[in-house]
Amino acid sequence: MTTRRKFLKLSALMASLFAFNKTKAIETISKSNGKQIKPVVLSTWKHGLAANEGAWKILSSNGSALDAVEKGVMVTEDDFTNLSVGLGGLPDRDGCVTLDASIMDEKGRCGGVAFLERIKHPISVARLVMEKTAHVLLVGSGAQKFALDNGFKLEPKTLSTEAEKAYKEWLKKSEYKPMINIENHDTIGMIAIDANGNLSGSCTTSGLAYKIHGRVGDSPIIGAGMYVDNEVGAACATGVGETVLRICGSHLVVELMRQGLSPDDACKKAVERLISKNPNYKEVQVGFLALNKNGEHGAYALQKGFNYALYSNEIKNQMFDSKSFLQ
Ligand code: GLY
C-alpha cells in the first residue's frame, strides 16, 4: 500500500514536472532575448510531427528552409491514409480529389498550383512553377499538363478506402457543411527558419471535403494560405479557406509582425480581423501559425482544438495547443 502510494505521488510529481518543463520550454523557445533561434520548423496539426521530421533532416544538416518546407510536407502528401492532404484526401461532391499547394522562399519567389488532379506531390509542382516559369499560379488541366511535361507521373484516379467509404456515406444526404476541427479541412502549412536565418513556407491540401468541383481555397493563394517576407517573418493558415481569403490572412499576420507585434499577437489580431469580416465565424475553424526573423513563433485559432508541431534544437518535435478566441 505504502509502495503504491509512493508510486502515485511520484507519478503526480513527474507529471507536474513535465508540464512545468513543457511550459518553460515553450516560453524559452518563443522568446529569443535578442538572439536568433535557428533552425526552427513548425507545422499545422498532428500530421505536422512526421512532416517536421522530414524537414528537420534538412535543417539539421545546414540545408535551406526552402528544401525543408518542400520535403517536409511531401511526407504528408505521401500518406495515402491522410484525408485532408494529397491524393488520399476526401473528394469534392463529384467524387474527384483536387489538390491545392503553394511555396515561397526567402527571396520572395513564390509558386502555386490549384485544382490539380492525379499528381502525388502538388508542392513540388508549385516549386517548379516558382523556379521554372515566369508565373506564380497554374490551375487545373494546365497545371497537370505542366507537371506531366516536367516528369511527374499521372496517378490512378482512385479514392483511398476510407475516402471512398466517407464519400458514399456523404452521398446519402449530400449536405455540405465544413466541420470544426474534424479532419476534413486540415491543410498542412509549414514555416521554417534555417541555420542561415532564412525563412520559407509551404502549404498543401486536398481542400474542403465535398466542395463544388472547381473550388479553390486559400492554400495555393500567396498571402492567404501562406506568406513569407525574409525581413520580417512567415505565416501560414489552416481551416475554412474562404474566411482566410477574405482577409489575405497570412500576409496580414506578416504585416502585423512588421508593425512590431509578436508572432502570437499577430495571429490573434488576424483572427480578430477575420471575425469582423465573417459573420459565420462561430461555425468554422481557422488557425494561424507565425514565425518571425528571430525564430520566435506564435499561434492563434478561432476555436479551441487547433494544435501544431514544433521542432527546434531545444524542442525536439512536440505538439502544442494553440490559444483560441472561442473556448
Ligand atoms: N484551408 C484549406 C482550404 O480551405 O481548402
Side-chain angles (χ1 to χ4, degrees), residues 102-120:
S102 65
I103 194 159
M104 191 160 185
D105 75 0
E106 80 281 0
K107 296 182 189 119
R109 298 183 309 164
C110 48
V113 287
F115 191 46
L116 175 64
E117 291 183 70
R118 299 178 62 186
I119 299 289
K120 200 190 237 179

Side-chain angles (χ1 to χ4, degrees), residues 15 87-88 151 165 182 188-189 214-215 225 256 276 290 307 325:
L87 292 172
K165 201 167 134 212
I182 298 194
I188 184 155
R215 178 263 186 192
L256 289 166
S276 73
N307 53 18
F325 182 81

